[in-house]
Amino acid sequence: MSGSINRPARSNGKSGSAVVGVIAFSCGVILLYWLSILPPPEWLIAAILLLVIVLSCSLSPVASRLTVFALGLASGLLWASWHAGDRLSTTLPGSLERERLSVSGYLCDIPSTGSFNSLRFSFCITQWHNLPIETGQEARMPGLLRLSWYGHGNEQLPGARLRLEVVLKRPHGTLNPAGFRYEDWLFRKGYRATGSVRSVQGDPTVGCFLHCQYRRLHLSLHNWTSEQFGDAKYFPLVSSLLIGHRGHMEQEHWGVLKATGTIHLVAISGLHLGLVALGAGFLCRRLLLALPARRVSDEASRWIVFTSVLSCCLVYALAAGFTVPTRRALIMVVAGGWLILMSRQAPVWQAFLAALTAVLLLDPFAPLDQGFWLSFTAVAVLIAVFSARLAGTGSLTGLVLAQVAVFGGLWPILEILGQGQPMVGLLANLLAIPWVSLVVMPILVTGGLMTAIVPGAAQLFVPLFDLILGMLWFLLTWFAEWQAPDIAASVPELVGWALLTVTLVFMPFATFRLVAALLAVLWLTYPEPAPVKNPYLTAPEIRVWDVGQGLSVLVRHGREVLVYDTGPAVPGVFSAVESTLLPNLETEGIRRIDTLVISHADSDHAGGVSELTREIEIGRVIAGEPIPLRSQITVLPVSGCNRSVQRLESLILEYWQGEGATEGNDASCVLRIYHPESGTEWILPGDITDQMEAQYLDYLAARADLQAPVTRVLVAPHHGSKTSSSEAWVRALRPDLVIYTAGYRHRYGHPHPTVTARYAGIGAVSLNTACSGSIVMTIVDNRLALKEMRHRSPFWIGGPGLARDQCKIP
């Protein structure tokens, strides 16, 4: 009798330990991406062996659980670090950067049109030709490239198997505390080099095995889809939803989807595979019910439905490119199907943990995806909501409840990830998700299948596609134009919102409707909050952002803020304001810029300025070239750069512009910043040439009231171009620190070696944002303190042997 009682107890204990181990393993994989160094694998292996030995000893239940947790954590760290180390070990030698190389391989995705009339695509390498490297080094050369073929955006490549002449560089991007990081994206996707294509030719000698054959078939499917449905007005949406290719989407599409919080609708993920699973399960179940009674047992019926659902989801996932989100969604469908197959005998949270662990086992890089956090958080919220409600909910009630729960549950995650959550997104998704689920997807899938079976059927379905997608797009466009506020909050507000969401979704529905109505009335009638002041900064701070080939500097002290230049921008392609300035200003809690200085109107200094003036409150604008900027800044007056002096708390700001300079680089507004207590001086000269440098030196020499600074920091004129930083300029100023703001391996070749040699000759310490990332300078105990962002970068950016670690100023 006692044995029969103890067996379930021991079983429950083992089950509990297994759950603890699974959770710990997942935490270990996730933990790796919070580290700045890659843990040595031998240390992790030794820790695992030690924990296994400890676990084999007789331990108390608590000690056993703790040991299992530590073992799972170390195993997760080892699993993720092994994959990360293997990926980082494939690298392009620095000696081969900017060299013309020959490679053979095949297309790894569907080419799409990019900026500057380019054709962008991923390329899987099968062979490097005639490499000038040591024997054996070829084995660690990159196997996956991200390429652009400039000037050929409207052309097609001559097949899927190719031989290319390419010019490459190692993974590199801007490095700031917040905002989009290109290097994160490249590491996540597995690209170990990027570059441009110089020549293309077909190469039938390339071996085309399973992966190559799949990519070839997927490219053929895209070409067939374009031939059949390319005439549709909303073909970009058709292509996104049918085959997962979003290369036809334009900036206008992304703007509307972002404004309404509906980007997930065109990214093949759990929603779309879930719809396919429901449709396949429903049809299979109806067919089984049509068979004579007892012809198929209940268990066999469940297996047939399970197999059919997985087969249909797998086919759709393959048709959609088998991307990372698609594979993640497929794993979650498998977990959900397994739960149903077991007749719900297993707890639903076990299926959730099984899916989480499977995703991290098959894809240890998943935590780098925002979609990973959003998808699993959404599923967890839905499980928590509906498993806790004992009474069933109607379809409409369930839809509203699910949408409110997901909206509230994902909002804190989106805030942590640095994404705004438009309030209008709640209403837009409430209407768009049922329309896409019940109308758009069934008609698109049916139309695609019918067109494949019946020639000429596309002529019937194209108008229908345009009708249903046109109605969806009209709705989203209307919501996007509705001026509803975005939600932004502090950490206490995030906690409060999460608690409110939990309260709303778990209360009885009648009470929920009443409380929701009251909250809506309060939201609509609540007065505008008082203007929020900038956080108070006790010491002066000068921050040179890393914006690539361009310039942007933040100056702060107390609550006052000045921004000098806004960095580069390419309309419709890239903007440093969107990717760097706005996210970092938000992270710092800055809601107002007191003074915006635009040195001159070049696109690498004034890019995105109109967007900045729309997104944040600005006190005044000073510009070296005010006339061209007035056409971009319509909400504020733009004044010229008159020689004047102002205070920014303890900092003295002096503006200067050369005589007779009205346009071009020489019209740059020069800003001198001085901190009297520490004797520290910063000079921001824009893009002035050696002619204006001489004028500025004469101006400084004539100022008898100027004190010689204890420490002088100079941002190199014109990014270190040879047309600036003359010998007289360098020797007269003799800066202690010179900062170059240039792009990595940029075609302009900044900074020029003759310029860097001049500054090195007078003993100046030289930094380049391409190497250092953003640079923060503060005054501590009346001394200049400096921090480089690269020293706080993750291991896949600043690790040994990588581009930023080996980056040198010429």
Side-chain angles (χ1 to χ4, degrees):
M1 179 66 70
S2 60
S4 64
I5 294 175
N6 290 333
R7 275 195 300 273
R10 286 195 296 267
S11 176
N12 290 337
K14 291 181 179 179
S15 176
S17 296
V19 170
V20 169
V22 165
I23 294 174
F25 175 86
S26 303
C27 291
V29 174
I30 293 170
L31 176 63
L32 178 73
Y33 301 104
W34 291 83
L35 304 179
S36 58
I37 60 172
L38 195 64
E42 54 271 16
W43 291 10
L44 294 174
I45 293 173
I48 290 173
L49 292 176
L50 179 62
L51 289 168
V52 169
I53 294 173
V54 172
L55 193 62
S56 63
C57 301
S58 179
L59 300 172
S60 66
V62 174
S64 178
R65 293 283 177 91
L66 290 175
T67 306
V68 168
F69 184 86
L71 180 61
L73 192 71
S75 300
L77 269 172
L78 178 63
W79 180 251
S81 62
W82 175 59
H83 283 84
D86 181 68
R87 178 164 291 183
L88 291 175
S89 66
T90 58
T91 182
L92 181 75
S95 60
L96 297 184
E97 287 187 294
R98 311 304 299 173
E99 297 291 330
R100 197 176 179 109
L101 304 172
S102 177
V103 296
S104 291
Y106 57 91
L107 291 176
C108 287
D109 64 5
I110 299 172
S112 60
T113 303
S115 57
F116 305 109
N117 189 29
S118 65
L119 193 67
R120 298 180 302 175
F121 56 92
S122 303
F123 194 69
C124 290
I125 296 176
T126 57
Q127 184 179 0
W128 293 83
H129 300 284
N130 304 320
L131 282 177
I133 58 176
E134 299 177 2
T135 304
Q137 193 174 354
E138 183 177 349
R140 303 315 301 170
M141 291 289 287
L144 180 63
L145 306 178
R146 183 64 174 171
L147 300 174
S148 296
W149 192 21
Y150 290 100
H152 301 271
N154 297 320
E155 299 182 24
Q156 287 190 348
L157 293 166
R161 294 180 289 174
L162 305 167
R163 178 163 178 165
L164 309 176
E165 298 289 330
V166 296
V167 175
L168 303 175
K169 61 181 179 180
R170 291 186 285 183
H172 191 280
T174 59
L175 182 59
N176 299 282
F180 175 71
R181 285 185 184 172
Y182 187 47
E183 280 178 272
D184 289 353
W185 184 83
L186 291 174
F187 176 71
R188 170 67 185 99
K189 299 295 183 182
Y191 299 114
R192 301 308 301 146
T194 63
S196 58
V197 177
R198 301 304 168 90
S199 68
V200 178
Q201 64 183 48
D203 190 353
T205 64
V206 172
C208 196
F209 303 105
L210 183 61
H211 186 253
C212 173
Q213 289 291 348
Y214 165 66
R215 289 301 171 189
R216 183 183 63 81
L217 291 173
H218 191 238
L219 180 61
S220 301
L221 177 62
H222 167 262
N223 294 335
W224 178 83
T225 305
S226 300
E227 292 173 3
Q228 299 296 327
F229 307 116
D231 294 334
K233 180 180 178 181
Y234 297 99
F235 176 70
L237 297 177
V238 174
S239 177
S240 299
L241 293 170
L242 265 185
I243 60 172
H245 179 60
R246 299 184 288 177
H248 300 288
M249 300 283 285
E250 298 178 357
Q251 194 66 29
E252 175 190 357
H253 297 109
W254 294 118
V256 170
L257 294 172
K258 182 179 179 181
T260 54
T262 52
I263 290 180
H264 64 94
L265 292 180
V266 296
I268 304 301
S269 57
L271 171 66
H272 307 81
L273 256 71
L275 294 174
V276 171
L278 287 174
F282 174 78
L283 290 176
C284 185
R285 189 65 180 168
R286 298 302 299 177
L287 290 174
L288 289 173
L289 291 175
L291 296 176
R294 297 187 179 180
R295 178 66 63 87
V296 181
S297 66
D298 289 342
E299 183 178 358
S301 177
R302 288 198 301 271
W303 272 106
I304 292 172
V305 173
F306 179 69
T307 306
S308 301
V309 166
L310 290 191
S311 300
C312 291
C313 287
L314 179 60
V315 169
Y316 182 61
L318 291 171
F322 214 57
T323 58
V324 170
T326 307
R327 294 197 297 267
R328 183 169 60 239
L330 184 62
I331 292 173
M332 298 181 80
V333 167
V334 171
W338 169 75
L339 184 66
I340 296 174
L341 182 66
M342 298 296 292
S343 299
R344 301 186 182 183
Q345 295 176 10
V348 67
W349 286 108
Q350 277 193 13
F352 176 83
L353 287 175
L356 176 63
T357 307
V359 166
L360 294 175
L361 271 172
L362 298 175
D363 182 16
F365 302 99
L368 292 172
D369 270 342
Q370 293 185 355
F372 167 82
W373 299 97
L374 297 176
S375 61
F376 275 103
T377 301
V379 172
V381 168
L382 293 175
I383 290 175
V385 169
F386 289 103
S387 63
R389 300 179 72 89
L390 298 178
T393 57
S395 56
L396 179 60
T397 302
L399 174 64
V400 174
L401 190 63
Q403 190 57 46
V404 171
V406 170
F407 183 84
L410 291 186
W411 176 59
I413 304 299
L414 288 168
E415 285 293 327
I416 293 171
L417 295 174
Q419 295 187 19
Q421 174 78 311
M423 177 63 76
V424 74
L426 176 60
L427 299 177
N429 279 283
L430 198 59
L431 298 176
I433 288 178
W435 183 255
V436 170
S437 305
L438 302 177
V439 179
V440 174
M441 286 301 297
I443 292 178
L444 284 181
V445 173
T446 302
L449 293 175
M450 290 297 295
T451 302
I453 298 172
V454 181
Q459 297 179 2
L460 300 176
F461 281 101
V462 165
L464 184 57
F465 288 176
D466 281 339
L467 176 63
I468 59 175
L469 291 172
M471 295 174 68
L472 172 67
W473 198 249
F474 174 80
L475 176 72
L476 296 180
T477 304
W478 184 83
F479 275 121
E481 294 172 352
W482 183 30
Q483 297 298 319
D486 287 356
I487 305 175
S490 61
V491 173
E493 291 171 323
L494 291 176
V495 176
W497 179 267
L499 292 175
L500 176 62
T501 302
V502 171
T503 303
L504 287 176
V505 299
F506 285 115
M507 65 175 55
F509 190 66
T511 310
F512 166 79
R513 286 183 293 185
L514 176 61
V515 174
L518 289 174
L519 289 174
V521 172
L522 288 174
W523 178 66
L524 293 172
T525 60
Y526 193 76
E528 287 290 329
V532 179
K533 297 180 179 179
N534 293 328
Y536 188 83
L537 205 63
T538 56
E541 178 183 283
I542 313 292
R543 185 185 298 263
V544 181
W545 277 313
D546 180 10
V547 293
Q549 183 70 24
L551 176 65
S552 186
V553 181
L554 173 70
V555 182
R556 299 175 64 191
H557 193 198
R559 299 189 190 277
E560 295 188 54
V561 172
L562 178 145
V563 171
Y564 183 91
D565 284 348
T566 56
V570 178
V573 178
F574 165 79
S575 167
V577 167
E578 180 182 6
S579 64
T580 301
L581 270 68
L582 290 175
N584 282 276
L585 289 172
E586 183 178 354
T587 299
E588 296 293 326
I590 296 173
R591 307 288 181 85
R592 171 186 166 86
I593 297 172
D594 297 283
T595 304
L596 173 63
V597 182
I598 303 298
S599 63
H600 61 301
D602 282 5
S603 61
D604 59 336
H605 291 257
V609 65
S610 58
E611 180 182 6
L612 184 66
T613 57
R614 288 194 307 267
E615 296 295 332
I616 193 169
E617 181 184 350
I618 296 176
R620 65 169 181 160
V621 181
I622 298 173
E625 293 181 274
I627 294 177
L629 285 171
R630 284 170 186 153
S631 62
Q632 301 181 50
I633 304 174
T634 58
V635 296
L636 287 168
V638 180
S639 59
C641 181
N642 301 316
R643 296 186 183 183
S644 59
V645 179
Q646 76 173 84
R647 299 282 301 204
L648 191 148
E649 287 289 328
S650 67
L651 298 174
I652 299 174
L653 309 179
E654 295 184 2
Y655 300 93
W656 180 90
Q657 188 176 36
E659 294 180 1
T662 58
E663 62 180 12
N665 289 342
D666 278 341
S668 294
C669 184
V670 179
L671 176 61
R672 175 180 176 269
I673 306 167
Y674 184 64
H675 184 246
E677 288 81 0
S678 65
T680 306
E681 177 189 77
W682 295 266
I683 297 179
L684 311 180
D687 278 357
I688 60 173
T689 63
D690 51 7
Q691 180 182 354
M692 282 300 134
E693 289 175 353
Q695 278 197 33
Y696 188 63
L697 291 177
D698 292 341
Y699 164 78
L700 292 179
R703 290 282 304 277
D705 59 318
L706 290 183
Q707 297 180 356
V710 176
T711 304
R712 174 173 281 158
V713 180
L714 173 68
V715 174
H718 201 183
H719 320 287
S721 167
K722 63 181 179 180
T723 61
S724 305
S725 295
S726 64
E727 188 76 31
W729 168 269
V730 174
R731 295 207 172 273
L733 291 181
R734 302 189 68 85
D736 300 281
L737 172 66
V738 60
I739 299 175
Y740 303 102
T741 57
Y744 179 76
R745 301 279 186 177
H746 197 270
R747 65 182 185 276
Y748 291 155
H750 295 159
H752 196 273
T754 58
V755 171
T756 59
R758 287 173 191 159
Y759 286 110
I762 55 100
V765 176
S766 298
L767 296 178
N768 188 350
T769 53
C771 303
S772 302
S774 65
I775 301 168
V776 180
M777 293 165 281
T778 56
I779 302 299
V780 179
D781 296 329
N782 278 336
R783 295 174 63 90
L784 180 69
L786 183 144
K787 295 180 181 178
E788 300 174 66
M789 185 62 199
R790 68 171 175 174
H791 296 313
R792 295 181 289 133
S793 62
F795 63 83
W796 60 89
I797 293 179
L802 301 181
R804 204 170 291 272
D805 175 61
Q806 297 182 347
C807 180
K808 290 181 174 56
I809 298 174

